[in-house]
Amino acid sequence: MRIVIAGGHGQIALRLERLLAARGDEAAGIIRKPEQADDLRELGAEPIVLDLESASVEEVAEVLKGADAAVFAAGAGPGSGVGRKDTVDRAAAVLFADAAVRAGVRRFVIVSSMGADAEHQGDEVFDVYLRAKGEADAYVRSLDGLDWTILRPGQLTDEPGTGQVRLEARTGRGPIPRDDVAAVLAELVDTPATAGLTLELISGSAPVPVAVRSVAGN
């Protein structure tokens, strides 16, 4: 499979690229800064330099052509202001989804956030973030041209992954290592029967492949 990942130098994306390359898939990561390219190459991934905050849908569709799946794992990140929550967490996700439709890439997985809600109230940066993620999720759900899965991890940590997770429509809040988020994404990309599902993810007791198979087709 060829899998194109938006936010290719993000902490989850780098882990995902390593996993995909190790299992023999062709991973390509979209990055903003050319100096990040070598980090992807070292993992066995192809770097694609493209700024999703300024690119056109045609430009993004061009890099998605021929892909078997697209993963949106970009984010404005901690420390970013209200403006970039909109331009990255919402607008870039919408752009990437539109480009996937244009390029004919049906399989689409988006990394959202627990608590994401287009109707979320409040003006603090985190409120704006949850609203932006919720709006992006709602837009992706509206596209008939995508076989989408929305993944909403709990509190992200840098603890080593355990490979044991809880993946359900509603899990309640809890932590989840980024290693395990990446492992679940790799499994979801490979499991089209999870299309149409919005899933929450925290640490748990089910091995990742078992957890994904248990929700597939629900």
Side-chain angles (χ1 to χ4, degrees):
M1 292 179 72
R2 176 173 171 81
I3 298 130
V4 178
I5 302 158
H9 199 263
Q11 295 185 67
I12 291 171
L14 290 170
R15 290 164 166 85
L16 176 59
E17 287 152 2
R18 181 187 293 112
L19 289 174
L20 294 174
R23 76 182 191 187
D25 286 327
E26 186 181 337
I30 297 175
I31 54 177
R32 283 193 307 132
K33 301 175 182 177
E35 58 267 28
Q36 297 171 335
D38 284 345
D39 291 339
L40 272 68
R41 292 191 187 100
E42 288 174 10
L43 300 173
E46 172 197 346
I48 299 172
V49 180
L50 184 67
D51 187 348
L52 294 178
E53 290 180 87
S54 60
S56 68
V57 67
E58 291 83 7
E59 289 171 318
V60 183
E62 186 64 31
V63 303
L64 281 167
K65 277 184 181 173
D68 298 290
V71 178
F72 186 84
S80 58
V82 165
R84 294 199 73 229
K85 302 305 183 192
D86 183 69
T87 59
V88 179
D89 293 296
R90 184 197 62 78
V94 167
L95 173 72
F96 198 58
D98 283 341
V101 172
R102 185 166 298 201
V105 181
R106 290 203 62 92
R107 188 71 183 114
F108 191 92
V109 180
I110 181 168
V111 182
S112 182
S113 174
M114 198 171 288
D117 182 355
E119 304 301 323
H120 183 85
Q121 300 299 306
D123 299 317
E124 298 297 322
V125 173
F126 192 63
D127 296 320
V128 175
Y129 168 74
L130 290 177
R131 194 157 56 244
K133 296 297 279 186
E135 289 171 353
D137 292 353
Y139 187 79
V140 168
R141 288 192 192 104
S142 76
L143 296 176
D144 292 336
L146 296 180
D147 295 329
W148 53 265
T149 303
I150 296 169
L151 183 66
R152 293 179 166 177
Q155 179 191 352
L156 298 171
T157 77
D158 288 324
E159 297 295 317
T162 66
Q164 305 281 318
V165 301
R166 182 178 174 193
L167 180 69
E168 298 171 14
R170 292 284 184 272
T171 61
R173 296 193 175 274
I176 180 75
R178 288 179 172 88
D179 286 349
D180 289 334
V181 177
V184 169
L185 287 171
E187 198 74 24
L188 287 174
V189 162
D190 235 7
T191 312
T194 58
L197 299 179
T198 300
L199 300 166
E200 294 184 350
L201 174 67
I202 59 175
S203 292
S205 57
V208 167
V210 174
V212 172
R213 282 199 303 271
S214 71
V215 297
N218 291 348

